[in-house]
Amino acid sequence: MRVAVFGATGVIGRALLPLLDQHEVVAVSRGPRDGESRIRWVEADVASGEGVADALEGADVAYYLVHSLGARDFERQDREAAGNLSREAAAAGVGQIVYLGGLGGDDPGASAHLRSRRETGEQLATDGVPVTTLRAAMVVGKGSVAFETILGLVKRLPVMITPSWVSTPTQPVALEDIARYLAGVAGNEAAIGEGFDVGGPEVMTYRQMIERIAVLLGRKPRIVEVPVLTPALSALWLELVTPVNASVARPLVEGLRSPTVAREERLRKLLPFELTSFEDAVRRALEG
Amino acid sequence: MTRVAGLHGWEANERVLESGGFESRQRVLVPETVVEPSEAGARWLGVTYWQAVDGFTRGGVRATWGEAGGRLRLLGGATLLRFGPPQLGYGDGVVSCRYAIEGGLLALRAGGSVTLAQRVEEPEHELSVTVEEYLPRLAARAGTPWWTGALYAKGQSPFHAAVSRRYFELLVQGCAR
């Protein structure tokens, strides 16, 4: 199969590419790239649509691993970019779009970011190409913005004043595992046109996550939960103490209010393998 | 009666057991299952229930979780109820998530449980919230005037039923995605 990967230079894309070695891979980036000879790098920009048709020429499957988080109007940008991909994929006769979305987008109180992840999936399907959507919570891996935010907090703060979202349940998944699932659904008849929840092996609160990362780092931060702390204040605070910029942190913080827990296990049954434990995923992220 | 399409058959009842504990049950019927029979499906029943509590109180009462279980806290402070970890069940047409009540301001003492369940009730499916053997601190005791339990009868009990109704709506809305 010929597989085009949009967002190939991102955290997920980089983890996915080595798992697609049985396919002819077209890795798509916005700038020129050199890479392994088995991967053909092409330049295209889904935001403008430029180069997208060429990148999709002859492709059977298109991975959509792109987002505009951090942009002021990320919802509109994501919608337009997904629309461009949808249109060009239909024109190129692509048989399947694979999209990594987020859990929690159906929560009535979902943040703009979580809603946008859901809408992007819907937009990708508008021109009739079957979309396989994997909905995941936080991806635990080096470079994952949400994970790096939590890591930054644990590394820098002996005392954390946190809003009540630290009690929200989530089901973080290892970068290696999400990449494996993404690779496994390409061309998989049972997955085409389907949406799946993807979770790691354990459900935990953000507070528990912080505490467990702290143990691995040999730290013991004190967490003080306060009932009122606005997302704007939290985001500014995160910008101060972590490497993450406020424009990225704010939509993430707002999203932390919604539970991000898998409510079904169909993908685990379709592609069974032993999931990476949270501790092992963190260790790998720290080593990587 | 309800705002969500496909959700009907609302029933709510409450009684005092011989043990002195309270039993209350709310249920609705839905045409399709809202969760699958799996660990994830059972857990989702619980996750959605706490979402309903949070949403109904506009964040005033929130569930917080740790290794040993959870707590319902008022404005992030006082613990209204303390629960054990979720006990998940699925099989024989029933998916359930049960929390043992371990104490808190609204419990006279530890005991009882909250069970959230989906079970086949041909040709439909029943969603239910069942509180069993709960000893509410605000309820009237045997031999005391009725009004000593007014806070429970007029406050906590209808509140619980209203949360259950919201919970059923959330489950069905989430299923419609």
Side-chain angles (χ1 to χ4, degrees), chain A residues 99-106 114 117-118 121 131-139 171 173 178 181-182 193-200 260-264 266-267, chain B residues 174 177:
Chain A
Y99 167 60
L100 179 60
L103 286 167
D106 300 308
L114 294 180
R117 302 305 292 153
R118 191 194 67 213
V131 177
T132 299
T133 301
L134 271 55
R135 295 177 286 265
M138 177 192 288
V139 173
Q171 199 170 356
V173 61
I178 196 74
Y181 277 132
L182 284 165
E194 295 288 326
F196 300 96
D197 288 358
V198 186
T260 44
V261 175
R263 73 173 206 195
E264 46 92 1
R266 289 179 303 131
L267 195 59
Chain B
R177 75 181 176 196

Side-chain angles (χ1 to χ4, degrees), chain B residues 29-93:
Chain B
L29 296 172
V30 287
E32 305 286 343
T33 56
V34 296
V35 291
E36 64 173 26
S38 68
E39 189 179 311
R43 187 184 297 114
W44 188 254
L45 293 173
V47 169
T48 309
Y49 186 73
W50 304 122
Q51 258 185 295
V53 173
D54 181 61
F56 191 78
T57 60
R58 297 186 178 271
V61 178
R62 282 186 71 100
T64 64
W65 294 93
E67 295 295 339
R71 290 186 294 165
L72 269 186
R73 295 165 70 192
L74 180 64
L75 298 173
T79 298
L80 299 178
L81 286 169
R82 217 169 52 243
F83 299 94
Q87 296 159 26
L88 308 176
Y90 48 96
D92 296 328

